[in-house]
């Protein structure tokens, strides 16, 4: 089987790609029902009104700067995220919001495939399409298992606050590592740009980028023995990130939001030491209870990676033996063996990196949106795969290297030995398949929260069609003449979409956000049958 995997890398990529493409169909179906809601209205209000008044995109962008400043003073300091919040598609067209899932799915693909390519193909120099196999498996499972579909694909504000910064962090890590490897000015410049913007993005991403780059530099310095003075230039993008982060952290609005979170039950950490300890404990607890306990299929992903990785390291080992039989030292093999010679250190580093993104969450008191949990999930999953690959590499290239060479060079090629090998291979793969089935069966309770199930249930139940019809009517009403608008109460079965429906209280925050987006002075909702009785005829709506 390992020979088959090694020989048919392209076929495996095609199969994984086809499975991934099919798994996206439910998301594509629901994308047609996506619409702005709540915070989208709030952040996009000034830009939307400016665009309606002038028809100018630049006017909307100018208005977005005003919203960022106002938000910085009154609610939160993440200035770059807030700027992008203000420019969602519905600012410019009622029909444009349906492109939101496509935008953020593209970010998923670009970010995680580039990450896989850089570290597996460029940094660790694995041959063939192994990097693509791992990237596709990661995408297939993270898209299905992500804790919140809203903040992963469908809701502009939630996705901008967590999907976009994850992509930025990945790009920054890649450009920074490329600079450590080749010291090209282009990589340093790109890192500077993304770092400067990252200072105004969500805090876990702003922490992940410098932490990852520091650990990569430290690995080169301590393990690789590299002492290149040009590495000090990395302090320039780091300074840019710190400057942006300072602007974010000194925002007066942060105190307002912190007070609101405390009122809602937040329990901030007691200083730096408590933050560090609690970050480690929370990362372990959430990994066990949520990412594995509720998302058991993640174990299937990790199992599928094992034979692909064993096959790849077997290829590395066999290539080394072929070279050494010609009495030539295989320097590439010795180099990669050195890379995989520090398993405990690597596991500790990945554990610390994963825990570090919990620090802002712990420090603020634990009241976070579902998008933050997504960010934690993506980081944990990537670190888990990294640890798995590294441990397999250590086991095959370092711990068992002498044994493997003896086995390969031995002359035990008798027919009986061959038959025994075939039997053991069949038993091993049968056990492997049975283990996957057992995990799938014992983890079946979580399937109803997986992306495709949530999307298709929402679609097939008719709730998606109800919502689309109702949101279109609501837009007609809110885009009408007059300074006040009464709308029918809307279907609040949210499925994978974000909804913050207008309610009966005109002073409710969701009502406020809707009215400023549509330029109204007062907006409220009444029961649907009551609304149809009073206003239905004017809008061509009946029971």
């Amino acid at each position: 089987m390992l020979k088959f995997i090694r020989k048919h890398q392209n076929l495996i990529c095609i199969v994984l790609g086809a499975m991934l493409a099919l798994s996206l169909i439910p998301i594509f179906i629901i994308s047609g029902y996506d619409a702005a809601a709540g915070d989208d209205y709030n952040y996009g209000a000034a830009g939307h009104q400016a665009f309606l008044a002038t028809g100018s995109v630049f006017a909307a962008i100018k208005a977005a700067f005003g919203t960022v400043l106002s938000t910085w003073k009154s609610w939160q300091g993440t200035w770059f995220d807030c700027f992008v919040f203000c420019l969602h598609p519905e600012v410019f067209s009622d029909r444009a919001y349906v492109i939101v899932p496509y935008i953020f799915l593209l970010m998923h693909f670009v970010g995680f495939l580039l990450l896989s390519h850089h570290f597996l193909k460029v940094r660790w120099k694995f041959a063939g399409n192994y990097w693509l196999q791992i990237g596709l498996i990661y995408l297939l499972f993270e898209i299905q298992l992500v804790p919140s579909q809203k903040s992963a694909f469908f809701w502009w504000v939630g996705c901008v606050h967590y999907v976009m910064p994850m992509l930025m962090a990945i790009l920054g890590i890649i450009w920074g590592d490329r600079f450590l490897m080749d010291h090209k000015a282009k990589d340093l410049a790109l890192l500077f740009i993304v770092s400067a913007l990252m200072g105004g993005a969500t805090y876990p991403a702003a922490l992940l980028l410098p932490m990852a780059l520091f650990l990569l530099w430290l690995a080169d310095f301590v393990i690789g023995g590299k002492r290149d003075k040009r590495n000090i230039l990395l302090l320039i993008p780091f300074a840019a990130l710190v400057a942006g982060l300072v602007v974010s952290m000194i925002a007066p609005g942060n105190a307002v939001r912190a007070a609101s979170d405390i009122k809602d039950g937040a329990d901030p950490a007691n200083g730096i030491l408590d933050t560090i300890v609690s970050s480690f404990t929370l990362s372990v607890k959430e990994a066990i209870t949520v990412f594995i306990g509720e998302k058991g299929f993640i174990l299937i992903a990790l199992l599928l990676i094992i034979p692909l990785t064993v096959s790849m390291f077997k290829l590395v080992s066999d290539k080394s033996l072929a070279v050494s039989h010609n009495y030539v030292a295989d320097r590439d093999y010795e180099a990669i063996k050195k890379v995989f010679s520090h398993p405990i250190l690597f596991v500790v580093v990945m554990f610390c990196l994963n825990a570090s993104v919990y620090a802002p969450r712990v420090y603020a008191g634990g009241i976070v949106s579902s998008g933050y949990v997504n960010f934690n999930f993506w980081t944990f999953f990537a670190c888990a795969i990294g640890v798995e690959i590294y441990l397999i590499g250590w086991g095959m290239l370092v711990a068992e290297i002498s044994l493997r060479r003896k086995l390969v060079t031995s002359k035990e090629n008798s027919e009986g030995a061959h038959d025994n090998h075939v039997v053991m291979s069949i038993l091993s793969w049968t056990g492997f398949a049975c283990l996957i089935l057992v995990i799938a069966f014992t983890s079946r309770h979580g399937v109803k929260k997986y992306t495709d199930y949530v999307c298709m249930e929402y679609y097939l139940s008719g709730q998606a069609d109800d919502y689309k019809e109702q949101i279109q009517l609501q837009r007609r009403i809110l885009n009408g003449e007059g300074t006040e608008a009464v709308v029918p109460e809307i279907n609040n079965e949210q499925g994978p979409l974000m909804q913050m429906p207008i309610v009966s209280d005109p002073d409710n925050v969701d009502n406020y956000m809707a009215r400023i987006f549509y330029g109204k002075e007062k907006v409220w909702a009444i029961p649907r049958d009551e609304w149809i009785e009073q206003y239905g005829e004017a809008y061509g709506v009946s029971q």
Side-chain angles (χ1 to χ4, degrees):
M1 182 61 77
L2 292 179
K3 290 182 179 179
F4 177 87
I5 292 172
R6 201 183 320 170
K7 186 178 179 180
H8 296 92
Q9 284 195 18
N10 291 336
L11 176 62
I12 292 171
C13 289
I14 291 171
V15 171
L16 289 172
M19 293 174 63
L20 179 58
L22 290 173
S23 75
L24 297 178
I25 291 175
I27 298 177
F28 296 153
I29 291 173
I30 296 300
S31 67
Y33 299 88
D34 209 4
D39 290 350
D40 291 325
Y41 290 148
N42 183 44
Y43 290 106
H48 181 60
Q49 290 302 312
F51 183 76
L52 289 178
T54 65
S56 169
V57 173
F58 292 106
I61 294 174
K62 182 179 178 181
F65 282 109
T67 301
V68 170
L69 180 59
S70 174
T71 304
W72 186 83
K73 293 178 178 178
S74 63
W75 186 243
Q76 68 183 45
T78 49
W79 49 271
F80 180 65
D81 282 0
C82 288
F83 176 73
V84 185
F85 289 167
C86 299
L87 300 174
H88 63 80
E90 202 159 317
V91 167
F92 308 102
S93 170
D94 281 347
R95 297 185 297 273
Y97 204 87
V98 295
I99 70 172
V100 168
Y102 297 94
I103 293 172
F104 293 106
L105 275 173
L106 181 62
M107 290 189 183
H108 283 257
F109 274 72
V110 171
F112 295 122
L113 288 179
L114 285 179
L115 183 69
S116 179
H117 179 270
H118 175 76
F119 283 100
L120 299 181
K121 186 76 170 181
V122 178
R123 172 60 95 154
W124 287 349
K125 302 183 185 304
F126 290 139
N129 291 325
Y130 171 72
W131 71 271
L132 184 56
Q133 295 170 0
I134 301 303
L136 291 173
I137 288 176
Y138 183 94
L139 285 169
L140 178 63
F141 281 86
E142 70 91 0
I143 286 173
Q144 292 304 314
L145 306 184
V146 68
S148 170
Q149 292 82 23
K150 296 176 178 67
S151 296
F153 317 112
F154 296 107
W155 183 35
W156 179 267
V157 166
C159 293
V160 165
H161 210 31
Y162 294 102
V163 179
M164 183 187 74
M166 175 57 85
L167 172 62
M168 293 168 63
I170 289 173
L171 293 176
I173 291 168
I174 292 172
W175 289 329
D177 194 41
R178 279 167 42 177
F179 181 78
L180 287 171
M181 295 170 66
D182 303 322
H183 296 97
K184 292 183 178 179
K186 180 184 71 172
D187 294 323
L188 186 67
L190 292 171
L191 176 60
F192 177 85
I193 294 170
V194 78
S195 296
L197 297 176
M198 185 67 84
T202 189
Y203 295 125
L207 187 59
L208 176 62
L209 174 57
M211 280 288 294
L213 290 181
F214 171 74
L215 293 171
L216 286 167
W217 168 82
L218 191 63
D220 277 351
F221 187 84
V222 176
I223 299 174
K226 296 181 180 179
R227 304 290 191 272
D228 198 310
K229 293 181 179 179
R230 291 173 293 181
N231 290 345
I232 199 171
L233 293 175
L234 287 174
L235 292 177
I236 297 174
F238 177 72
L241 188 148
V242 171
L245 198 56
V246 167
V247 172
S248 179
M249 293 176 69
I250 65 173
N254 289 337
V256 177
R257 180 158 193 172
S260 175
D261 287 344
I262 291 173
K263 184 180 179 181
D264 290 337
D267 184 20
N270 297 316
I272 296 177
L273 182 59
D274 184 35
T275 298
I276 294 173
V277 173
S278 297
S279 296
F280 281 112
T281 56
L282 181 58
S283 68
V284 173
K285 178 182 177 182
E286 194 160 83
I288 295 172
T289 61
V290 179
F291 303 151
I292 296 176
E294 297 180 9
K295 311 285 182 181
F297 276 48
I298 195 174
L299 297 176
I300 296 177
L302 297 176
L303 280 175
L304 292 175
I305 288 171
I306 291 175
L308 300 176
T309 304
V310 169
S311 175
M312 177 50 58
F313 281 111
K314 182 69 165 56
L315 178 64
V316 173
S317 181
D318 288 351
K319 177 178 178 293
S320 170
L321 285 174
V323 173
S324 62
H325 284 168
N326 293 321
Y327 303 100
V328 178
D330 187 353
R331 295 181 180 178
D332 288 342
Y333 177 81
E334 294 303 321
I336 198 170
K337 177 182 174 183
K338 184 178 180 181
V339 168
F340 288 92
S341 297
H342 307 276
I344 296 176
L345 180 60
F346 188 86
V347 171
V348 170
V349 166
M350 289 294 100
F351 179 66
C352 292
L353 187 64
N354 180 60
S356 70
V357 297
Y358 282 84
R361 175 176 168 184
V362 170
Y363 185 79
I367 301 295
V368 295
S369 69
S370 59
Y372 201 136
V373 181
N374 286 353
F375 195 96
N376 291 142
F377 172 73
W378 295 321
T379 306
F380 165 76
F381 194 12
C383 289
I385 290 176
V387 167
E388 179 182 23
I389 293 172
Y390 196 97
L391 292 180
I392 293 173
W394 171 78
M396 294 187 66
L397 302 184
V398 181
E400 297 178 7
I401 187 64
S402 60
L403 175 61
R404 294 191 63 79
R405 287 177 179 268
K406 289 177 182 178
L407 287 173
V408 173
T409 57
S410 70
K411 297 181 179 180
E412 294 182 8
N413 293 317
S414 65
E415 183 177 343
H418 174 73
D419 292 343
N420 188 46
H421 174 75
V422 171
V423 172
M424 290 302 296
S425 179
I426 293 173
L427 290 176
S428 298
W429 286 106
T430 301
F432 184 80
C434 289
L435 182 57
I436 289 177
L437 291 175
V438 168
I439 293 173
F441 179 77
T442 56
S443 303
R444 67 191 186 282
H445 61 277
V447 171
K448 291 185 178 180
K449 294 183 180 179
Y450 294 175
T451 296
D452 279 357
Y453 191 100
V454 172
C455 289
M456 292 310 297
E457 182 183 45
Y458 189 59
Y459 174 71
L460 295 174
S461 67
Q463 293 167 358
D465 287 321
D466 287 345
Y467 175 68
K468 184 175 184 177
E469 179 183 339
Q470 292 169 17
I471 201 70
Q472 288 175 342
L473 174 60
Q474 180 174 289
R475 285 171 177 160
R476 286 173 57 199
I477 298 169
L478 294 174
N479 280 319
E481 300 291 334
T483 59
E484 297 185 357
V486 55
V487 300
E489 291 178 345
I490 202 167
N491 165 25
N492 196 32
E493 295 296 332
Q494 300 185 6
L497 304 181
M498 171 56 77
Q499 295 184 41
M500 297 182 184
I502 297 171
V503 296
S504 59
D505 180 9
D507 296 324
N508 180 275
V509 65
D510 295 333
N511 293 39
Y512 164 78
M513 292 189 287
R515 76 169 177 81
I516 62 172
F517 185 82
Y518 288 100
K520 303 296 184 184
E521 294 179 3
K522 182 180 179 181
V523 170
W524 73 102
I526 60 177
R528 193 163 196 84
D529 54 353
E530 183 180 331
W531 185 92
I532 291 174
E533 184 178 343
Q534 296 183 40
Y535 307 99
E537 185 175 351
Y539 289 90
V541 178
S542 58
Q543 291 284 2

